[in-house]
C-alpha cells in the first residue's frame, strides 16, 4: 500500500474521520474492508456510554489507500489528457500543413495547366486566322474563276454567232474557208477552257469547304479551350476565404470519357497539323488557278487574233464586188433592220406583259385562301379572271405577230436571195463577215477580263 501523505497523517492524528463511506468504484482492486469488532478491553473512563459509537467503519489504512488510488488515477488521467492534447495539436498542425501543401501543389498544377491551355489556344487562334485568311484568298481566286468562266461565255457566243451567221452565206460563197476553220478551232479551245475552269472551280469549292470544315474544327477546339481556361482560371483563384465554395462529395472521381494529357495534346496537334496541310493545299491550288487563268487568257487572245486576221483577209477578197451591189444592199438591209427592230419591240412587249400577268395571277392565288364563306365569287374575282384572260389573249396575239414578223424577216431574206442571188451573194457575204462577225468580235473581252480581273 502507498504511504499516506503528510496531510493524511495529520488528519489521522487529529482524529478526523470520514463522514460518508467512499464509493466502491473509486477503490482500487483490493479485498473488501473488514468490519471493526467490539473491543474486549475494559472500557475507559467514558464507561458504557461510548460503546454506541464503535460501529462498523473503514480502517484508517484503507482510507489512505483509497485516497492514494484517487490521486494516482487523477495523475494518470492528467498525463493522458496532456499527451492527447499534444498529439492532437501535432496532428492538427500536420493536417493543416499537409492541406496547405496539397492546395499549393494543386494551385501550381492549375497554373501549369492554364499555361498549357494558353499555348494551345494561341496556336489554334493563329491557325484559325491563317486558315480564314487563306480561305478568303482562295475565295477571291474562286471569284476570278467565276468571272473568267462568265467572260468565256461571251467569246463562245461570239464564235457560235459568227458560225451561224456565216452559215447564212449563199452559194457560191458558202465555202469552208480559213475563217470557218479558225472559228471551229476557237470553239474547241473555248469548250476545253470551260471544262478546265469548271473542274478547277469545283476543286476550289471543295477546298474552301474543307478549309471551312477544318477551321470549324479548330474553332470548336479553341472554344473548348477558352471555356476550359475560364474554368481552370476560376478554380485557380479559389482560396479558403472564398465565399462561393461548398462541399461536392460526388465530384471526387474520374470521368470515363476523360482524356489523358497525351491524347489531349495530340488532339489539338492533329487538328493544327491537318489545318496546315489543307492550308498548303489551298496555297498550291491558288497558284494553279493563277497559271490556268493566265494561260487560258493568252490562248484565247492568240486564237482571237488568228480569227480576226482570217476575217480581214476574207473580207479583202470580197471587197472588189461591193460597188456593184450598194443600191440593193441598202434597201435590203433597211428592211431587215426594221423587221429586227419590230421583232425586238414585239419581244419587249411580250415581256412587258409578264408583270401584269404575275400581279393578276398572284391576286387570284392569294384570294383562293379566303376562309369559309369569304371565298366568294365577287365582282373582283370575275374582274381578275377577265384580266388574266385578256392578258393571255394579248400575249397570244403578240406572239403570233412575233412569229409573223420573224417569218416576214425570213421571207425578206429569201426574196432577196431569190431576186438578186448572184449580186446579193457577195453583198451578203461581206455583210456577214464585216458587219456581223467582225463588228461583233470588236466586243471580245480583254485579257484581264478573261483572266478573271
Amino acid at each position: 500500500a502507498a504511504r499516506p501523505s503528510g496531510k493524511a497523517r495529520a488528519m489521522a492524528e487529529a482524529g478526523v474521520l470520514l463522514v460518508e463511506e467512499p464509493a466502491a468504484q473509486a477503490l482500487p482492486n483490493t479485498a473488501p474492508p473488514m468490519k471493526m469488532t467490539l473491543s474486549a478491553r475494559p472500557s475507559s473512563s467514558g464507561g458504557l456510554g461510548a460503546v454506541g459509537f464503535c460501529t462498523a467503519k473503514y480502517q484508517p489504512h484503507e482510507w489512505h489507500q483509497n485516497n492514494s488510488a484517487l490521486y494516482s488515477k487523477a495523475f494518470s488521467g492528467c498525463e493522458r489528457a496532456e499527451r492527447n492534447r499534444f498529439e492532437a495539436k501535432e496532428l492538427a498542425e500536420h493536417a493543416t500543413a499537409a492541406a496547405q501543401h496539397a492546395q499549393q501543389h494543386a494551385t501550381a498544377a492549375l497554373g501549369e495547366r492554364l499555361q498549357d491551355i494558353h499555348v494551345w489556344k494561341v496556336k489554334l487562334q493563329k491557325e484559325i486566322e491563317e486558315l480564314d485568311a487563306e480561305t478568303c484568298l482562295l475565295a477571291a481566286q474562286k471569284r476570278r474563276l467565276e468571272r473568267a468562266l462568265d467572260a468565256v461565255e461571251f467569246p463562245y457566243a461570239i464564235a457560235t454567232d459568227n458560225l451561224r451567221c456565216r452559215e447564212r452565206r449563199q452559194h457560191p460563197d458558202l465555202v469552208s474557208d480559213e475563217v470557218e476553220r479558225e472559228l471551229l478551232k476557237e470553239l474547241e479551245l473555248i469548250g476545253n477552257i470551260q471544262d478546265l475552269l469548271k473542274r478547277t472551280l469545283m476543286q476550289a469549292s471543295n477546298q474552301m469547304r474543307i478549309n471551312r470544315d477544318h477551321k470549324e474544327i479548330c474553332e470548336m477546339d479553341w472554344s473548348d479551350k477558352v471555356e476550359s481556361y475560364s474554368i481552370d482560371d476560376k478554380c485557380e483563384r479559389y482560396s479558403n476565404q472564398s465565399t462561393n465554395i461548398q462541399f461536392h462529395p460526388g465530384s471526387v472521381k474520374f470521368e470515363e470519357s476523360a482524356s489523358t494529357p497525351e491524347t489531349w495534346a495530340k488532339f489539338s496537334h492533329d487538328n493544327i497539323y491537318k489545318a496546315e496541310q489543307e492550308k498548303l493545299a489551298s496555297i498550291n491550288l491558288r497558284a494553279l488557278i493563277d497559271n490556268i487563268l493566265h494561260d487560258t487568257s493568252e490562248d484565247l487572245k492568240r486564237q482571237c487574233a488568228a480569227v480576226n486576221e482570217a476575217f480581214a483577209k476574207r473580207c479583202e477578197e470580197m471587197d472588189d464586188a461591193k460597188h456593184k451591189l450598194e443600191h440593193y444592199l441598202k434597201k435590203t438591209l433597211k428592211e431587215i433592220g426594221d423587221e429586227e427592230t419590230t421583232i425586238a419591240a414585239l419581244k419587249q412587249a411580250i415581256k412587258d406583259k409578264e408583270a401584269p400577268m404575275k400581279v393578276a395571277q398572284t391576286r387570284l392565288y392569294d384570294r383562293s385562301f379566303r376562309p369559309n364563306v369569304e371565298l366568294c365569287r365577287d365582282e373582283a374575282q370575275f374582274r381578275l379572271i377577265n384580266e388574266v384572260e385578256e392578258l393571255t389573249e394579248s400575249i397570244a396575239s403578240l406572239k403570233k405577230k412575233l412569229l409573223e414578223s420573224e417569218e416576214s424577216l425570213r421571207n425578206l431574206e429569201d426574196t432577196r436571195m431569190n431576186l438578186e442571188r448572184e449580186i446579193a451573194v457577195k453583198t451578203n457575204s461581206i455583210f456577214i463577215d464585216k458587219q456581223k462577225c467582225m463588228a461583233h468580235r470588236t466586243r471580245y473581252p480583254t485579257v484581264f477580263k478573261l483572266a478573271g480581273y
Side-chain angles (χ1 to χ4, degrees):
R3 295 176 59 85
S5 64
K7 185 176 180 181
R9 287 197 300 271
M11 290 174 64
E13 291 174 357
V16 179
L17 298 177
L18 291 174
V19 179
E20 296 181 357
E21 186 179 353
Q25 62 272 19
L27 294 176
N29 295 329
T30 58
M34 300 298 293
K35 298 286 186 171
M36 296 181 59
T37 56
L38 293 176
S39 178
R41 294 181 304 173
S43 63
S44 62
S45 60
L48 295 175
V51 175
F53 292 97
C54 297
T55 57
K57 297 181 179 178
Y58 292 102
Q59 296 297 323
H61 72 277
E62 294 173 343
W63 180 81
H64 289 299
Q65 288 176 358
N66 179 61
N67 289 338
S68 296
L70 291 176
Y71 302 154
S72 177
K73 185 175 181 181
F75 180 75
S76 300
C78 290
E79 283 186 343
R80 285 194 302 271
E82 184 177 0
R83 186 167 59 252
N84 287 336
R85 288 197 307 275
F86 179 76
E87 292 175 354
K89 182 179 179 182
E90 282 189 345
L91 181 61
E93 291 176 353
H94 176 73
T96 301
Q100 291 177 353
H101 184 70
Q103 191 177 86
Q104 289 173 357
H105 274 275
T107 303
L110 285 171
E112 294 176 359
R113 182 63 175 175
L114 286 173
Q115 292 180 359
D116 293 341
I117 294 175
H118 178 72
V119 169
W120 283 110
K121 186 177 68 173
V122 170
K123 290 181 179 179
L124 285 167
Q125 185 172 1
K126 179 182 177 183
E127 191 61 34
I128 290 169
E129 292 173 355
E130 291 179 354
L131 196 57
D132 184 61
E134 176 57 32
T135 304
C136 291
L137 293 175
L138 185 58
Q141 292 293 79
K142 179 174 176 287
R143 287 192 292 272
R144 282 187 62 195
L145 281 172
E146 292 171 347
R147 288 194 292 267
L149 190 59
D150 291 339
V152 169
E153 290 289 340
F154 197 61
Y156 184 83
I158 290 176
T160 304
D161 182 70
N162 290 164
L163 287 172
R164 288 176 179 172
C165 287
R166 299 189 91 246
E167 288 294 326
R168 293 200 296 266
R169 291 176 300 165
Q170 302 169 0
H171 299 287
D173 287 351
L174 189 59
V175 294
S176 180
D177 54 6
E178 184 65 20
V179 176
E180 184 173 341
R181 287 192 291 271
E182 293 296 333
L183 283 172
L184 291 174
K185 287 182 183 179
E186 187 176 42
L187 277 180
E188 183 180 3
L189 176 63
I190 292 173
N192 293 334
I193 290 175
Q194 285 177 328
D195 293 339
L196 177 60
L197 292 179
K198 288 177 181 178
R199 290 196 304 269
T200 309
L201 185 62
M202 184 178 298
Q203 187 176 355
S205 299
N206 292 334
Q207 186 62 50
M208 288 178 61
R209 178 183 55 78
I210 293 173
N211 288 353
R212 292 192 182 101
D213 291 342
H214 281 82
K215 175 176 173 284
E216 183 178 355
I217 291 172
C218 291
E219 284 176 341
M220 291 176 64
D221 193 2
W222 178 85
S223 177
D224 292 342
K225 282 179 172 50
V226 169
E227 185 177 357
S228 178
Y229 187 92
S230 175
I231 293 172
D232 284 349
D233 182 60
K234 180 176 67 174
C235 292
E236 187 193 29
R237 287 185 280 105
Y238 280 143
S239 66
N240 295 333
Q241 289 75 34
S242 299
T243 58
N244 55 343
I245 56 176
Q246 57 183 342
F247 289 108
H248 297 281
S251 63
V252 186
K253 62 179 180 179
F254 286 105
E255 297 292 341
E256 294 181 359
S257 59
S259 61
T260 63
E262 292 77 14
T263 58
W264 174 80
K266 185 177 183 300
F267 179 76
S268 296
H269 177 270
D270 291 346
N271 288 339
I272 293 176
Y273 176 77
K274 293 176 182 177
E276 287 285 346
Q277 293 298 112
E278 295 304 330
K279 184 174 68 177
L280 180 61
S282 181
I283 292 173
N284 294 334
L285 180 59
R286 285 195 293 112
L288 176 64
I289 291 173
D290 272 332
N291 295 333
I292 288 174
L293 291 176
H294 177 268
D295 294 343
T296 55
S297 60
E298 291 294 331
D299 292 344
L300 279 174
K301 200 63 182 177
R302 281 194 296 268
Q303 184 61 31
C304 176
V307 173
N308 290 339
E309 185 179 357
F311 264 116
K313 290 180 179 179
R314 183 61 176 167
C315 290
E316 187 177 353
E317 293 174 354
M318 295 185 296
D319 279 340
D320 295 337
K322 182 179 179 181
H323 63 280
K324 300 177 183 179
L325 310 171
E326 289 180 355
H327 174 72
Y328 302 100
L329 178 62
K330 289 180 181 179
K331 183 177 180 181
T332 305
L333 290 179
K334 183 179 181 302
E335 292 299 327
I336 291 175
D338 292 342
E339 200 64 37
E340 288 176 346
T341 303
T342 303
I343 290 172
L346 287 172
K347 290 181 178 180
Q348 185 61 40
I350 292 172
K351 186 176 180 180
D352 291 341
K353 299 300 180 293
E354 292 179 356
M357 178 66 77
K358 290 179 181 179
V359 171
Q361 291 182 354
T362 303
R363 286 173 174 175
L364 287 171
Y365 176 77
D366 289 346
R367 284 173 60 84
S368 67
F369 290 99
R370 290 175 295 168
N372 301 325
V373 72
E374 295 299 326
L375 190 63
C376 178
R377 299 179 182 176
D378 50 10
E379 181 62 26
Q381 186 75 5
F382 287 114
R383 189 65 194 90
L384 286 171
I385 293 173
N386 290 335
E387 181 182 2
V388 171
E389 292 175 352
E390 291 173 0
L391 287 171
T392 303
E393 293 177 358
S394 176
I395 291 172
S397 300
L398 288 172
K399 287 183 178 180
K400 183 178 179 182
K401 183 57 68 176
L402 176 62
L403 293 175
E404 293 176 357
S405 298
E406 292 174 346
E407 183 65 23
S408 175
L409 177 60
R410 288 191 294 270
N411 291 335
L412 282 173
E413 293 177 350
D414 293 340
T415 302
R416 182 189 62 189
M417 288 187 294
N418 292 331
L419 295 176
E420 302 170 340
R421 179 172 297 277
E422 292 300 327
I423 298 174
V425 163
K426 297 293 183 283
T427 303
N428 182 59
S429 298
I430 293 174
F431 172 76
I432 289 173
D433 286 350
K434 277 192 173 181
Q435 305 300 324
K436 289 288 186 179
C437 296
M438 295 194 69
H440 200 183
R441 295 190 68 82
T442 59
R443 300 168 61 187
Y444 207 90
T446 63
V447 176
F448 287 102
K449 192 169 184 180
L450 291 172
Y453 292 107

